[in-house]
Amino acid sequence: MKAQASVEEQTATKTGADLLVEALIEQDVETLFGYPGGAVLPIYDAIYRAEGSFDHVLPRHEQGAIHAAEGYARVSGRAGVVIGTSGPGATNLVTGIADAMMDSIPLVIFTGQVAKGVIGTDAFQESDIMGITTPITKHNYQVQEIEELPRVVKEAFHIATTGRPGPVVVDIPKDISSTVYAKDVNNQFHLPGYQPTMKPNPLQISKLHDALVEAKKPVVLAGSGVIHAGASEELRTFVRNYKLPVTTTLLGLGSYPGSDELSLGMAGMHGTYSANMALYECDLLINIGSRFDDRLTGNLKHFAPNAKVAHVDIDPAEIGKNIPTQIPIVSDAKAALESLNGKPVKELHHKGWMEAISQNKVDYPLWHDQPDADIVPQWLLQKVYEYTKGEAIVTTDVGQHQMWAAQYYHFDEPNRWVTSGGLGTMGYGFPAAIGAQLADMDATCVAVVGDGGFQMTLQELSVLQERRLPVKILIVNNQALGMVRQWQEKFYSERYSQSIIDTQPDFVKLAESYQVPGYKIETQDQLLDVLPGVLQDDQPAVIDCRVLQKENVYPMIAPGKGLHEMIGVKR
Amino acid sequence: MRRIVTAIVHNRSGVLNRVTGLLAKRQFNIESISVGRTETEGVSKMTFVVEVEDDRKLEQLTKQLNKQIDVLKVSDITDKAIVARELAMVKVISNPQIRNEIQGIIEPFRASIIDVSKESVTVQVTGKSDKVDALIELLRPYGIKELARTGLTAFTRGHQPQVAEFKSYSLLK
């Protein structure tokens, strides 16, 4: 794809910060997530002058800002925009930048920097954010001259949102943003080193089509690349044309309807038995937009051992990185699927296979115990699914609650599932829900969080209070770092080192102190009383739901084991 | 296996850091790097000598390098007809009596003495790395006071012999 080039001439007297604000307006930025500070004061002054040009959301910690921007990007499909000041402002963004990098979330992050003259002197609030973020960004810039600012902003948005999306950092020294600049500014850009391959090689598509026609045990693995490419419709057409079984990755949930009969559910460490066995036994694996993460594959030796592997990915470096690939297709998922769908639909000879793996769904379903009054988390998530009719935006942190949400909430549409996949970030879910809600004010937005993760970013309750955003925070409260506890139980002989959290705040009072309604739920009846009403009203809420501490996430592939060695499978 | 990989890059601040950081992060073992400007303004060329386990690792290396926005082209030129040179400067302990002896040793290597003092001579040698290694080994018994090597720099010869199949990992073609 050729970079868009245009010339914009500006003649009035402006500061660098004004040029930045104009560049953001040109990019149609609607929402900014940021936190002011010394090095970005000129930028905040320009934002003040440009009042009304965009909505600025003030979190109470920079980590809140960047996770909110991630949630916003995931739901809106647009770049999330973040501003942080130099030094601690910038370093507080690092977790979110790394998170966005791992999950291919388009973000443009502006960090303030000390003035050019004192860079490198360990000046007040100076940090080498270029050095710090180089390994965790798709690209980063430090603006050296005021006239390059508009071009750099344009490039940053282009790089963040095209190809494989990702975070781009633009570091702006304070003197650049404060200096007045009166000359014409040219924002034309040309990036010869960045030309993502969008269209698939037709020969490779034919090879894939041939392999499909020959296959006896085909399976489709859909990753978040399908969602990023907006290719869910094309995926449905492809899958239904050939009646193929589909499994998705954690981040690919919603790329294909989870409640559809051809869906086997999520694969991987806590995936369904039917999905994992399909991956284990298949003879053709069509991976569209997944990077074969180790939480998906388990032991590589036992991952699709007898399959021909076709891999569609926009990032050529992902193809063959973990799994040898026979049919590599470097392409945008949408273009690849369109081109596949253009081929004549042939009848496949995989009826026996389809029946066998569909029977697995019936024979080895997800299961959990059901006590009389106490709440098990699986049941809780089932109820959330029922009451929201599967239409909510669900955000999570990392851990047990995340896996239960992935297992028991069936996403039928893309961009409804916002979770920290690759980096596995605690504290992600709640701020991400703020961004997600801002991106879609009509949606019911449920932040499913653990009692551990919520305590990492709960200061963002201030934003709910301020904005009256109707985010529902569902604390799956087992008074433990659940997944750590589970691993200690299974693999560390029940030595619960630092994973049980007996001392907790009163979450209801905490919520109320932020003027957010709070509910403490301890029994099934209480939940059934409270949850439907809360999910329907237009108020924010904190629901502290006490669940059984000893509940574990099953089924599971233990570390080092293969797809076919799941434990906790019940017939 | 030892590979020679070249990368044409935009000459921007931080590019070297970006590239070496990438290689370090992904656990590639760099033997040497040399960087310098090219015939095109604003464009530099890096030559890496890297030790990689197998073809898959090598493919990953070139692909990851190619992903960098400031990298314009990556080529593995190990199997091509190439011109590869390294420069080394060796300060050898030598009194006037053995200066001639050293002169005799370095002559077949077409090396030259570029500095002389009462106790030492400095020898400059250019060539392939193994030639440089060989000369250093010959000089070592005299006592090496200081040694500096540039690392390999290389490009393909103007004429490439016709070979059935070259390995090529460039994604920009």
Side-chain angles (χ1 to χ4, degrees):
Chain A
M1 206 177 81
K2 265 252 140 67
Q4 292 285 312
S6 82
V7 181
E8 187 181 306
E9 291 190 343
Q10 296 162 327
T11 45
T13 304
K14 289 163 187 158
T15 64
D18 291 318
L19 293 182
L20 172 64
V21 166
E22 278 176 9
L24 294 177
I25 293 169
E26 199 199 307
Q27 293 294 328
D28 291 324
V29 172
E30 289 168 353
T31 309
L32 280 179
F33 301 88
Y35 206 102
V40 288
L41 276 173
I43 296 173
Y44 273 86
D45 199 49
I47 289 173
Y48 189 86
R49 291 196 294 275
E51 211 211 318
S53 301
F54 28 64
D55 184 18
H56 184 282
V57 181
L58 178 75
R60 297 312 192 255
H61 187 292
E62 284 89 352
Q63 190 181 358
I66 193 155
H67 292 327
E70 287 183 87
Y72 176 86
R74 201 64 166 103
V75 170
S76 70
R78 301 157 56 88
V81 186
V82 183
I83 299 178
T85 193
S86 66
T91 55
N92 277 347
L93 295 170
V94 166
T95 302
I97 297 173
D99 191 281
M101 185 67 177
M102 289 287 259
D103 289 351
S104 307
I105 303 295
L107 292 185
V108 180
I109 301 119
F110 297 97
T111 51
Q113 184 53 276
V114 298
K116 269 167 68 186
V118 290
I119 290 178
T121 65
D122 302 330
F124 176 67
Q125 290 194 331
E126 183 189 355
S127 69
D128 172 19
I129 204 63
M130 292 295 285
I132 292 169
T133 62
T134 294
I136 52 168
T137 47
K138 188 170 173 186
H139 196 52
N140 60 7
Y141 295 91
Q142 187 172 65
V143 181
Q144 297 295 334
E145 304 293 339
I146 212 173
E147 57 263 42
E148 63 182 44
L149 187 57
R151 172 183 60 80
V152 165
V153 174
K154 211 168 164 183
E155 281 184 13
F157 276 87
H158 177 71
I159 292 169
T161 54
T162 54
R164 179 179 180 174
V168 179
V169 165
V170 180
D171 194 36
I172 306 175
K174 188 173 184 179
D175 50 336
I176 298 276
S177 53
S178 60
T179 305
V180 169
Y181 192 78
K183 280 183 251 163
D184 294 349
V185 176
N186 188 334
N187 68 358
Q188 210 172 341
F189 74 82
H190 177 49
L191 294 167
Y194 178 67
Q195 307 288 334
T197 307
M198 301 298 283
K199 295 262 182 271
N201 179 326
L203 208 74
Q204 295 299 93
I205 292 287
S206 293
K207 267 194 200 168
L208 173 52
H209 187 253
D210 293 346
L212 184 59
V213 173
E214 278 167 29
K216 300 216 163 44
K217 300 174 175 179
V219 66
V220 173
L221 171 67
S224 65
V226 174
I227 300 175
H228 286 300
S232 287
E233 275 308 315
E234 288 75 8
L235 178 65
R236 285 171 209 209
T237 307
F238 173 63
V239 163
R240 285 168 186 169
N241 279 348
Y242 297 95
K243 302 202 171 33
L244 296 169
V246 189
T247 170
T248 73
T249 65
L250 174 71
L251 288 175
L253 289 173
S255 58
Y256 189 82
S259 54
D260 189 88
E261 59 169 346
L262 292 170
S263 169
L264 303 174
M266 180 176 78
M269 182 172 269
H270 293 294
T272 63
Y273 180 81
S274 55
N276 284 338
M277 286 313 284
L279 288 179
Y280 181 65
E281 290 175 343
C282 64
D283 66 357
L284 174 66
L285 170 56
I286 304 172
N287 170 6
I288 307 172
S290 151
R291 63 185 174 86
F292 286 131
D293 177 79
D294 57 277
R295 282 292 193 269
L296 171 84
T297 61
N299 188 328
L300 290 172
K301 248 196 336 213
H302 303 300
F303 184 78
N306 305 312
K308 188 180 256 188
V309 176
H311 188 171
V312 177
D313 206 302
I314 193 143
D315 181 354
E318 289 304 339
I319 297 178
K321 187 178 84 174
N322 296 335
I323 302 285
T325 302
Q326 285 76 45
I327 308 174
I329 300 176
V330 179
S331 168
D332 170 74
K334 190 169 182 145
L337 283 163
E338 275 171 355
S339 158
L340 266 173
N341 291 340
K343 297 260 170 202
V345 178
K346 296 205 175 141
E347 205 193 325
L348 304 188
H349 310 285
H350 67 304
K351 202 156 168 271
W353 163 249
M354 266 323 287
E355 279 166 9
I357 54 178
S358 301
Q359 196 57 39
N360 274 344
K361 273 168 76 172
V362 180
D363 291 345
Y364 306 97
L366 292 170
W367 63 273
H368 59 83
D369 293 330
Q370 187 60 28
D372 291 339
D374 292 333
I375 298 174
V376 288
Q378 297 92 331
W379 176 83
L380 171 64
L381 269 308
Q382 267 174 343
K383 289 293 149 196
V384 177
Y385 176 66
E386 279 169 32
Y387 291 137
T388 56
K389 303 186 195 75
E391 289 167 358
I393 294 172
V394 177
T395 72
T396 77
D397 288 352
V398 65
Q400 284 186 318
H401 68 279
Q402 178 190 35
M403 291 300 124
W404 286 315
Q407 289 177 335
Y408 289 89
Y409 203 99
H410 306 292
F411 295 92
D412 286 341
E413 296 297 328
N415 298 324
R416 304 276 96 177
W417 169 239
V418 182
T419 196
S420 172
L423 198 67
T425 307
M426 285 177 74
Y428 173 89
F430 170 39
I434 292 174
Q437 186 80 77
L438 284 162
D440 184 352
M441 286 303 287
D442 298 329
T444 303
C445 191
V446 185
V448 178
V449 294
D451 47 298
F454 183 50
Q455 292 188 63
M456 286 194 171
T457 47
L458 53 72
Q459 72 284 350
E460 304 310 335
L461 282 166
S462 282
V463 180
L464 290 198
Q465 176 186 10
E466 199 171 80
R467 301 277 179 137
R468 302 315 296 168
L469 290 175
V471 170
K472 325 295 179 195
I473 302 161
L474 180 67
I475 308 172
V476 182
N477 190 342
N478 54 10
Q479 305 195 23
L481 306 177
M483 197 57 99
V484 173
R485 200 208 64 82
Q486 175 169 343
W487 280 53
Q488 287 171 338
E489 180 188 320
K490 290 279 140 206
F491 311 119
Y492 295 86
S493 310
E494 301 185 30
R495 291 189 291 274
Y496 299 118
S497 181
Q498 306 297 318
S499 61
I500 309 298
I501 305 176
D502 303 305
T503 315
Q504 287 188 328
D506 181 331
F507 286 114
V508 174
K509 280 190 188 156
L510 181 92
E512 281 167 357
S513 76
Y514 286 97
Q515 289 160 23
V516 172
Y519 306 87
K520 184 173 179 176
I521 305 286
E522 287 175 309
T523 65
Q524 292 174 17
D525 288 344
Q526 286 172 352
L527 184 87
L528 297 178
D529 276 350
V530 167
L531 193 61
V534 166
L535 287 172
Q536 263 157 30
D537 70 21
D538 54 1
Q539 289 290 310
V542 171
I543 307 156
D544 177 16
C545 189
R546 301 300 168 107
V547 299
L548 289 184
Q549 189 178 62
K550 295 221 150 165
E551 200 58 33
N552 286 337
V553 185
Y554 287 123
M556 176 181 192
I557 302 170
K561 299 289 182 182
L563 288 169
H564 61 307
E565 297 169 295
M566 294 199 89
I567 51 173
V569 181
K570 229 181 211 181
R571 196 183 173 105
Chain B
M1 51 190 188
R2 194 165 165 274
R3 307 299 295 186
I4 303 168
V5 177
T6 60
I8 309 290
V9 301
H10 275 302
N11 187 3
R12 291 197 183 132
S13 71
V15 174
L16 182 63
N17 177 29
R18 206 180 283 284
V19 166
T20 53
L22 164 77
L23 297 179
K25 177 190 162 194
R26 302 210 178 248
Q27 303 239 306
F28 291 111
N29 196 2
I30 309 168
E31 227 168 77
S32 82
I33 289 188
S34 66
V35 195
R37 289 187 210 158
T38 63
E39 73 286 357
T40 315
E41 194 171 337
V43 173
S44 288
K45 177 168 187 160
M46 298 183 180
T47 308
F48 311 93
V49 179
V50 281
E51 187 65 39
V52 290
E53 277 163 42
D54 50 31
D55 281 342
R56 246 182 67 200
K57 275 278 205 181
L58 174 66
E59 186 184 329
Q60 187 59 206
L61 173 113
T62 52
K63 282 174 165 180
Q64 290 294 346
L65 283 174
N66 249 315
K67 257 169 85 165
Q68 295 297 315
I69 309 284
D70 284 330
V71 172
L72 301 173
K73 186 181 168 81
V74 180
S75 318
D76 173 9
I77 59 171
T78 321
D79 300 331
K80 299 198 174 182
I82 57 171
V83 193
R85 291 290 181 273
E86 183 177 347
L87 182 142
M89 294 191 293
V90 195
K91 195 185 283 173
V92 189
I93 297 172
S94 94
N95 53 36
Q97 287 80 35
I98 58 169
R99 210 169 284 156
N100 276 343
E101 196 177 322
I102 288 176
Q103 182 69 51
I105 289 172
I106 68 172
E107 221 172 60
F109 290 85
R110 279 188 273 172
S112 52
I113 291 176
I114 55 170
D115 184 50
V116 179
S117 74
K118 264 194 274 176
E119 295 95 27
S120 69
V121 291
T122 298
V123 176
Q124 169 194 296
V125 59
T126 57
K128 289 190 178 166
S129 299
D130 47 1
K131 171 183 156 187
V132 174
D133 289 343
L135 179 59
I136 290 169
E137 284 319 305
L138 284 172
L139 292 174
R140 199 177 292 283
Y142 295 92
I144 293 174
K145 285 183 83 174
E146 232 180 309
L147 171 66
R149 298 175 72 155
T150 58
L152 199 73
T153 189
F155 53 51
T156 51
R157 287 186 186 276
H159 176 73
Q160 290 291 316
Q162 289 301 311
V163 177
E165 206 175 321
F166 280 135
K167 274 184 187 168
S168 175
Y169 294 92
S170 172
L171 297 157
L172 297 174
K173 274 182 252 165

